[in-house]
Amino acid sequence: MLTSILITHTLAGTVCLISGLLAMSSRKRKGRHTYAGELYHGAYVTVFITALIMSIWHWEESQYLFYIALFSYGLSLSGYLAVKRKWKDWINFHIGGMLGSYIGIVTAVVVVNVHRIPLLNEWPTLLFWFLPTIIGMPLIFLVQWKYKPGK
């Protein structure tokens, strides 16, 4: 059973990576952007649920994944709800939440797989926990500035 959960988790994570890129690269209007965003959020729900199950199942080795899943899905959910509810300053919450959750999923993929990549597997693993955030945070601020209301 755990193998099928891991496969589901991996497939949903792959869908997140692809649909997230599609949403980021498409024009910000109804159509491709919103379809890719809905797909991204739906796949992220699956990643979240499967991550929780796997972390609880192997709590001693993977309890940190439980908290990472809560945090990264919280970002995705806040970005998703911001655009649905259109609350005050919704665009910044949407951009920050969705791109923040994308940083989370990229971090997970990199950390889990870096030991398989020649040359990179010789670098300290801790670097790969922070590198996506170091690269991604300035990009979030740039995108938020680009879509700043009244600009």
Coordinates of all heavy atoms in Angstrom, one line a residue, residues 10-11 20 34 46 49 54-55 59 66 75 93 122 135 138 143 146 148-149:
T10 N 4.4 10.9 -6.1 CA 5.4 11.3 -7.2 C 4.7 11.8 -8.4 O 5.1 12.8 -9.0 CB 6.3 10.0 -7.5 OG1 6.9 9.6 -6.3 CG2 7.4 10.4 -8.5
L11 N 3.6 11.1 -8.8 CA 2.9 11.5 -10.0 C 2.3 12.9 -9.8 O 2.3 13.8 -10.7 CB 1.9 10.5 -10.4 CG 2.4 9.2 -11.0 CD1 1.3 8.2 -11.2 CD2 3.2 9.4 -12.3
G20 N 2.5 24.0 -12.7 CA 3.0 25.3 -12.1 C 3.8 26.1 -13.1 O 3.6 27.3 -13.2
T34 N -5.6 29.9 -15.6 CA -6.6 29.4 -14.6 C -6.7 27.9 -14.6 O -6.8 27.3 -13.6 CB -8.0 30.1 -14.7 OG1 -8.4 29.9 -16.0 CG2 -7.9 31.6 -14.3
T46 N -3.3 16.4 -3.5 CA -2.8 15.0 -3.5 C -1.4 14.9 -2.9 O -1.2 14.0 -2.1 CB -2.9 14.4 -4.9 OG1 -4.2 14.6 -5.4 CG2 -2.5 13.0 -4.9
I49 N -1.8 15.3 1.0 CA -2.4 14.2 1.7 C -1.4 13.0 1.7 O -1.3 12.4 2.7 CB -3.8 13.8 1.0 CG1 -4.8 14.9 1.3 CG2 -4.3 12.5 1.5 CD1 -6.0 14.8 0.5
M54 N 2.5 9.4 4.4 CA 3.8 8.8 4.4 C 4.6 9.2 5.6 O 5.4 8.4 6.2 CB 4.6 9.0 3.1 CG 4.0 8.3 1.9 SD 5.0 8.4 0.4 CE 4.9 10.2 0.1
S55 N 4.5 10.5 6.0 CA 5.3 11.0 7.2 C 4.8 10.3 8.5 O 5.6 10.0 9.4 CB 5.2 12.5 7.2 OG 3.9 13.0 7.5
W59 N 7.1 7.9 10.9 CA 7.2 9.1 11.8 C 8.6 9.3 12.3 O 9.2 10.4 12.2 CB 6.3 9.0 13.0 CG 6.2 10.3 13.7 CD1 6.8 10.5 15.0 CD2 5.7 11.6 13.3 NE1 6.6 11.8 15.4 CE2 5.9 12.5 14.4 CE3 5.0 12.0 12.2 CZ2 5.5 13.8 14.3 CZ3 4.5 13.3 12.2 CH2 4.8 14.2 13.2
F66 N 6.0 16.0 7.6 CA 4.7 16.3 8.1 C 4.6 17.8 8.1 O 3.6 18.4 7.6 CB 4.4 15.7 9.4 CG 3.1 16.0 10.0 CD1 2.0 15.2 9.6 CD2 2.9 17.0 10.9 CE1 0.7 15.4 10.2 CE2 1.6 17.3 11.4 CZ 0.5 16.5 11.0
L75 N 0.7 27.5 2.0 CA 1.0 28.5 1.0 C 0.2 28.3 -0.2 O -0.4 29.3 -0.7 CB 2.5 28.5 0.6 CG 3.5 28.9 1.7 CD1 4.9 28.6 1.3 CD2 3.4 30.4 1.9
F93 N -1.1 38.0 -2.1 CA -1.3 36.7 -1.4 C -1.3 35.6 -2.5 O -0.8 34.5 -2.2 CB -2.6 36.7 -0.6 CG -2.5 37.4 0.7 CD1 -3.0 38.7 0.8 CD2 -1.9 36.9 1.8 CE1 -2.9 39.4 2.0 CE2 -1.8 37.5 3.0 CZ -2.3 38.8 3.1
E122 N 28.0 15.7 -4.3 CA 29.2 16.0 -3.5 C 29.0 17.3 -2.6 O 29.8 17.5 -1.8 CB 30.4 16.1 -4.4 CG 30.7 14.8 -5.1 CD 31.8 14.9 -6.1 OE1 32.7 15.8 -6.0 OE2 31.9 14.0 -7.0
I135 N 16.9 31.5 -4.4 CA 16.6 31.9 -5.8 C 15.2 32.4 -6.0 O 14.9 33.4 -6.6 CB 16.9 30.7 -6.7 CG1 18.4 30.4 -6.7 CG2 16.4 31.0 -8.2 CD1 18.7 29.1 -7.4
P138 N 13.5 36.3 -4.3 CA 13.6 37.6 -5.1 C 12.6 37.6 -6.3 O 12.1 38.6 -6.7 CB 15.0 37.6 -5.5 CG 15.8 36.8 -4.6 CD 14.8 35.7 -4.1
V143 N 7.8 39.5 -9.2 CA 6.5 39.3 -9.8 C 5.4 40.1 -9.1 O 4.5 40.7 -9.7 CB 6.1 37.8 -9.8 CG1 4.7 37.5 -10.3 CG2 7.1 37.0 -10.7
K146 N 5.6 43.5 -10.4 CA 5.1 43.6 -11.7 C 3.6 43.7 -11.7 O 3.0 44.5 -12.6 CB 5.6 42.4 -12.5 CG 5.1 42.4 -14.0 CD 5.5 41.2 -14.7 CE 5.0 41.2 -16.1 NZ 5.4 40.0 -16.9
K148 N 1.7 44.8 -9.3 CA 1.2 45.7 -8.2 C 0.0 46.5 -8.7 O 0.1 47.1 -9.8 CB 2.3 46.6 -7.8 CG 2.0 47.5 -6.7 CD 3.3 48.3 -6.3 CE 3.0 49.2 -5.1 NZ 4.1 50.0 -4.7
P149 N -1.1 46.5 -8.0 CA -2.3 47.3 -8.4 C -1.9 48.8 -8.6 O -1.1 49.3 -7.8 CB -3.3 47.1 -7.3 CG -2.8 45.8 -6.6 CD -1.4 45.8 -6.8

